[in-house]
Amino acid sequence: MTARIDPLPARTEDGVILLVSLHDLTSAKRAEQMRADFVANASHELRTPLSTLVGFIETLQGPAADDEEARVKFLAIMQQQASRMARLVEDLLSLSRIEMNEHQPPTTPIEVVTVLRHVAQTLELKAAARGMTIDFDVADERVRAVGDADELAQLFQNLIDNAIKYARPNTPITLGVGPSRRVKEGVAIKVRDRGEGIPRNHLPRLTERFYRVDTARSREMGGTGLGLAIVKHIINRHRGQLEIDSEIGEGTTFTVHLRSSIPGPATAPGSKADD
Ligand code: ADP
């Protein structure tokens, strides 16, 4: 959608100022539109399980009041829908918290492999339930990246969880850590699956809020549609980069590039920077 630009008071003769103002107006309108779309999408996502819950409550209070079999079945569905709403609210809160801090990048180096191993451990059972293993390919256990341990844990959790949800059962997931080819002296963390792969045309939109390749499958797997948006915002806050490579029939690799140090002030020639 193209936002309509209202004519500015055309008294200024300074074309540059006019151009800058038009540019600001366009991006302000685009931001406003995106916010409106986000609220509409979030409301819709919450309303769907809510309507289901209300429907089942009414049925249990009315026609199925004395039906024990229906009661057990309906309560299980209601629990599922309530959990879905809880996950959605949790993800919405995470997203807004990360966005609020985005102008303040983390400053301390942490051991990324320790965080990655911890997250992998919490997801091992879920992977095993689909016949999947989580394997490591790490050259240096002690490698450090500048980051917030909780946020990076959430980022790795979202990527590994997606690999478990969307890759073929009985295939391995590989977590690789090595030098980054994109961020100078940085660290690259790879989450690789052997799933169906993602068609190329979806890749540029994958990190948009509520964007899904297959909505029914995402819902069936308990997805909120916010996992990769959260990943993108965490990476933005870390001033890192996200790379997505996917081959149909082969699988998908998400690579997170992080800085291993914070660029310091330029040092005078001949002087030695502190470690
Ligand atoms: P969701 O909650 O739906 O998983 P995400 O933002 O985490 O939302 O992911 C967006 C969409 O990207 C998913 O619905 C899925 O279609 C696709 N996707 C994410 N990760 C993978 C993957 N490893 N393999 C295939 N598709 C994936």
Side-chain angles (χ1 to χ4, degrees):
M1 196 196 129
T2 322
R4 193 174 68 84
I5 299 170
D6 298 319
L8 292 174
R11 246 175 283 140
T12 173
E13 285 170 16
D14 189 336
V16 174
I17 289 177
L18 185 66
L19 262 179
V20 170
S21 306
L22 281 173
H23 175 78
D24 286 352
L25 247 181
T26 321
S27 56
K29 287 212 170 192
R30 204 179 301 130
E32 197 183 302
Q33 182 63 46
M34 276 171 68
R35 243 192 319 271
D37 286 350
F38 174 57
V39 172
N41 284 334
S43 309
H44 174 76
E45 295 283 339
L46 281 168
R47 203 165 45 194
T48 313
L50 195 57
S51 310
T52 313
L53 274 176
V54 171
F56 279 113
I57 289 169
E58 284 170 1
T59 312
L60 284 175
Q61 282 172 333
D66 301 318
D67 185 339
E68 179 56 21
E69 200 182 321
R71 196 179 69 88
V72 173
K73 201 166 121 191
F74 292 173
L75 279 175
I77 299 173
M78 287 164 72
Q79 190 181 30
Q80 242 176 33
Q81 297 300 317
S83 306
R84 181 172 152 197
M85 288 179 72
R87 274 198 306 276
L88 195 58
V89 170
E90 212 45 61
D91 278 358
L92 286 169
L93 287 173
S94 288
L95 203 51
S96 109
R97 201 187 49 237
I98 297 157
E99 264 186 326
M100 246 163 38
N101 291 331
E102 220 162 291
H103 61 283
Q104 269 180 336
T107 52
T108 8
I110 57 163
E111 288 186 1
V112 268
V113 181
T114 309
V115 180
L116 198 58
R117 284 199 185 275
H118 181 73
V119 174
Q121 205 177 12
T122 64
L123 287 168
E124 241 166 36
L125 277 181
K126 188 171 178 180
R130 303 198 75 225
M132 301 167 98
T133 53
I134 305 178
D135 306 327
F136 278 82
D137 176 10
V138 175
D140 176 3
E141 284 286 327
R142 309 293 305 272
V143 68
R144 286 166 159 249
V146 177
D148 176 303
D150 289 340
E151 283 187 8
L152 290 183
Q154 188 173 11
L155 183 161
F156 299 147
Q157 148 105 25
N158 288 1
L159 292 180
I160 302 169
D161 193 52
N162 275 350
I164 297 173
K165 286 191 301 195
Y166 301 114
R168 261 190 305 269
N170 309 314
T171 54
I173 295 166
T174 311
L175 308 180
V177 182
S180 165
R181 275 182 292 165
R182 285 200 173 198
V183 172
K184 197 165 169 254
E185 290 171 18
V187 183
I189 301 108
K190 285 178 190 286
V191 178
R192 176 173 180 219
D193 69 53
R194 309 283 170 82
E196 296 302 331
I198 303 167
R200 191 173 289 269
N201 58 315
H202 290 285
L203 297 182
R205 299 196 59 193
L206 223 51
T207 58
E208 285 177 22
R209 293 151 196 226
F210 299 120
Y211 189 85
R212 288 132 159 157
V213 177
D214 179 343
T215 305
R217 177 144 173 73
S218 158
R219 295 237 166 91
E220 181 203 339
M221 299 308 287
T224 60
L226 292 173
L228 290 180
I230 291 174
V231 163
K232 184 183 83 175
H233 282 279
I234 293 176
I235 294 178
N236 284 350
R237 178 166 178 247
H238 283 70
R239 308 296 186 256
Q241 292 181 38
L242 176 66
E243 199 183 341
I244 311 173
D245 296 301
S246 197
E247 252 347 290
I248 297 297
E250 295 286 322
T252 306
T253 303
F254 287 83
T255 308
V256 179
H257 299 268
L258 295 175
R259 302 180 303 170
S260 55
S261 61
I262 304 164
T267 44
S271 72
K272 190 175 176 298
D274 288 336
D275 283 339

